[in-house]
Structures are given as C-alpha cells and as structure tokens.
Amino acid sequence: MLVVSAPSRQRQHAPLAEIESSGFQDPFEHPGRADAIHQVLAADAVHQIREPDRWGVSPIEAVHDPGLVRFLSNAWASYQAVHPGTHDVVPDLFRMPGLMEGIGEFRAHHGIDTELGRWCFETTTPLTEGTFEAATSAVDVALTATSLVLGGERAAYGLCRPPGHHAPMSLYGGYCFFNNAAVAAHHAVSTTGSKVTVLDVDYHHGNGTQQIFYRRDDVQYVSLHGDPARAYPYITGYADEIGSGRGRGANVNVPLPLGADDDHYGVALAGALQAIDAFAPDLLVVSLGVDAFHNDPISDLAVTADGFEAQGALVAQLGVPTVVVQEGGYDVASLGNNVNRWLAGLATL
C-alpha cells in the first residue's frame, strides 16, 4: 500500500524530549506515536513510503476559519514575545458567553492572552514551537494520500500527526489543530464533484468532523465511538444527531457500550457500512483511530489486533476507493502493529 509520511521533524510539535516532558502533563499524544507507526510500516515490504507534497493553506482555509489559520501561524511567536521562555502554552481564560452576560459583547482584543481563549476549546492541547509546521504537514499528508487515490490508486494511507477529527471549523483542541480528514474530504468534493463518506473508527467521537459537515449532503459522516455519556468529548456523538437541513440523514453515530469486543464492534461496523453503501460514495475517507484497543490507556473497549484486521477487511468489501488518515491510538508499544493489521485487512480485496 502507498503510505504518505512526513519527515520526522514535521511530525513533531517540538523536539521529542521536550514535548514528552510537558510542563503540564505527560501527553498521550506525542511524536513517539507517529515514529512507532512509521517504523513498523517501513519495515513491511508491502508498503511504499513517500513524502507529502506541499499544499499551502488554501485547502485548509476552504474548511477552517482563516482567522484560526492566521492565529496558529503566529501564536507561538506572539506568545513568546510577551511571555519569553514559556515551554508550552494553554489559555488562561476561555471566552465563554456567560462571562459577559448582562454586560455586553467581548471587546475586540487582539492580544495573545485573549486570542488563545478565542480559538482553543480545552486545556489538553498546548501550543509548542513546532505546532503550526506539524499541523500543516499533517494536512499535506492527508491531501497527498487523497490525490493518489483520486489519481487511480485503490487505497492510500496518510500518517497524519497531529490528528484532526476534534477540530471544528473555528477552534482547535482535543490534540487536533486542523481537521485532516475534513480537509481531504472537502478537497475531493470541491475538485471532482464526487460524494464522499468520512468513516471515523476512532474511540473518541469526531466532534469537529461532524460539525463541519452537519448541514451538507455531499459528505456523509459515520462514526463508531465510545458512548459520549462516558467518553470524550462528551458533548457530541449521540445516536439522535443525524444532521440538519440538507444534511439531515447524512450523519450517523454509533455509540458503543463499555467493553465492546471484536464481535460487538464487527456487528456495529457492518451496520454502519450498510448506511455507507446506501449513500453510495465515490470516495471513502477513514479516520483511523486504533484506541479501541483493549490495552489503550484512554479507552474502555476491548478490540484486539485480529479485530482491527477484521475491520479493515469489512471496509474493503465496500469496494470504494479509500483514503486512510491516522487519528488516535495511545498504546505505543502496540500502535504500529495495530495500524498495520488494519491496513492488511483493507488490502484483502
């Protein structure tokens, strides 16, 4: 399979030793994840690895608020100018509507301290020196993999890092800065006029992808994930969220119960694939998280490596050209093997 993977420096927010010793917490999402996947795929002769092309910010701004793109491009330098020597950066304050209730509107501040709370929605996604380069490179990876499939390849995998599915149009958070899968899907639709399905198999619901396409009927979003009653991001991912306006019926959420294993997941995925088949997309974009793994530190499902391969094989049966972009998966010791097994299943047909 064709694998698109950025150079190591572009997969990182900052040098590995620095980001993995965050001043706030040891992050589950760190450069070692991408390196672990890359090493396993590079050692498997069935894969051909290539670097991504550069796409610039135009495809990102076609999906995300250009203000978010501008902010992230300058945020680290702006913060260091005011607070030099800071290791990693999270907002001091979030611009919640209740803060100004009965007073008026927020003032048009443009200082970095208030801007952070304008564009970020939570505290587990610090900015570091290499954030913008890594985030734009992840989009380059997704778009290059998409271009390969639109050019005739049956499937391609993009080793995106940082992940993207939690990033909505105008915010970053959940380890995500730009929504790699959404940018890829929109690019395919806007350049070819085709219909696209985004199938999200990450343990955590892709609130960002859902929000971006919720009112659209040219991109279907289908997600299997831990029930948001107990799983991040908690606010979205319920089964009654089916889209609105023109997009009504094009959003499918499948919340999974505690401890769902290979068999349970397989049945749920088979049902989701029926909805995809009915939509009849020309292209499938898979947001591949392998954090449903039984040993993942921030998941409570029970999928095995065999289960991941079975998932890939089920998806292959759709017979739809497929772009796979990496999302979560945090058991680093098993991460590369789990991704490789999923891709092996996809390659069965």
Side-chain angles (χ1 to χ4, degrees):
M1 180 176 295
L2 283 171
V3 172
V4 182
S5 178
S8 178
R9 64 180 178 82
Q10 293 173 359
R11 298 196 297 264
Q12 299 180 10
H13 288 190
L16 178 59
E18 294 183 15
I19 187 60
E20 290 191 318
S21 60
S22 169
F24 297 107
Q25 61 181 20
D26 290 333
F28 290 107
E29 207 297 290
H30 56 77
R33 296 179 56 252
D35 290 340
I37 297 170
H38 182 93
Q39 288 173 12
V40 171
L41 299 187
D44 190 333
V46 304
H47 301 303
Q48 303 173 47
I49 297 181
R50 57 155 293 177
E51 292 187 4
D53 300 321
R54 293 285 193 173
W55 291 79
V57 299
S58 293
I60 302 174
E61 292 181 342
V63 169
H64 289 287
D65 186 332
L68 173 65
V69 181
R70 288 193 298 272
F71 170 76
L72 288 172
S73 70
N74 297 311
W76 178 256
S78 298
Y79 198 87
Q80 295 305 309
V82 179
H83 306 287
T86 309
H87 183 270
D88 42 12
V89 178
V90 295
D92 292 329
L93 178 141
F94 294 93
R95 298 200 332 176
M96 306 296 290
L99 289 170
M100 297 299 289
E101 187 174 353
I103 299 173
E105 299 297 322
F106 284 102
R107 297 178 186 272
H109 288 292
H110 298 290
I112 186 63
D113 293 297
T114 52
E115 288 294 282
L116 277 166
R118 159 68 179 85
W119 298 108
C120 182
F121 69 79
E122 47 91 283
T123 61
T124 68
T125 311
L127 294 174
T128 64
E129 185 175 1
T131 291
F132 185 71
E133 181 184 19
T136 53
S137 181
V139 174
D140 289 340
V141 166
L143 287 171
T144 301
T146 302
S147 179
L148 290 168
V149 174
L150 292 177
E153 294 292 335
R154 179 183 167 275
Y157 166 78
L159 178 46
C160 296
R161 196 271 161 180
H165 71 153
H166 291 308
M169 286 183 278
S170 300
L171 296 167
Y172 73 90
Y175 305 152
C176 303
F177 297 92
F178 300 133
N179 196 312
N180 308 309
V183 173
H186 178 78
H187 172 75
V189 169
S190 62
T191 58
T192 68
S194 58
K195 292 200 304 181
V196 177
T197 292
V198 179
L199 170 63
D200 192 331
V201 295
D202 191 278
Y203 168 77
H204 305 93
H205 181 250
N207 59 290
T209 313
Q210 174 170 292
Q211 186 252 357
I212 288 167
F213 296 120
Y214 205 64
R215 294 178 177 270
R216 290 176 56 167
D217 61 359
D218 52 356
V219 179
Q220 179 191 44
Y221 180 63
V222 178
S223 177
L224 290 81
H225 49 269
D227 192 323
R230 68 177 196 280
Y232 184 94
Y234 312 112
I235 57 171
T236 60
Y238 295 90
D240 61 358
E241 297 163 7
I242 61 171
S244 64
R246 293 178 59 181
R248 185 173 178 82
N251 196 89
V252 180
N253 286 323
V254 185
L256 298 169
L258 178 73
D261 60 10
D262 292 348
D263 291 338
H264 190 122
Y265 202 110
V267 170
L269 179 58
L273 294 178
Q274 290 180 0
I276 295 174
D277 191 53
F279 184 74
D282 304 293
L283 178 73
L284 181 68
V285 177
V286 178
S287 278
L288 176 60
V290 290
D291 40 3
F293 189 53
H294 65 86
N295 202 42
D296 195 276
I298 53 176
S299 164
D300 54 21
L301 302 187
V303 175
T304 68
D306 288 344
F308 288 126
E309 185 163 344
Q311 290 175 28
L314 280 173
V315 171
Q317 292 177 19
L318 283 173
V320 177
T322 300
V323 178
V324 183
V325 298
Q326 189 62 45
E327 301 285 358
Y330 305 99
D331 180 45
V332 178
S334 301
L335 181 55
N337 180 62
N338 287 339
V339 170
N340 205 28
R341 292 289 299 276
W342 203 100
L343 297 177
L346 183 64
T348 55
L349 290 181

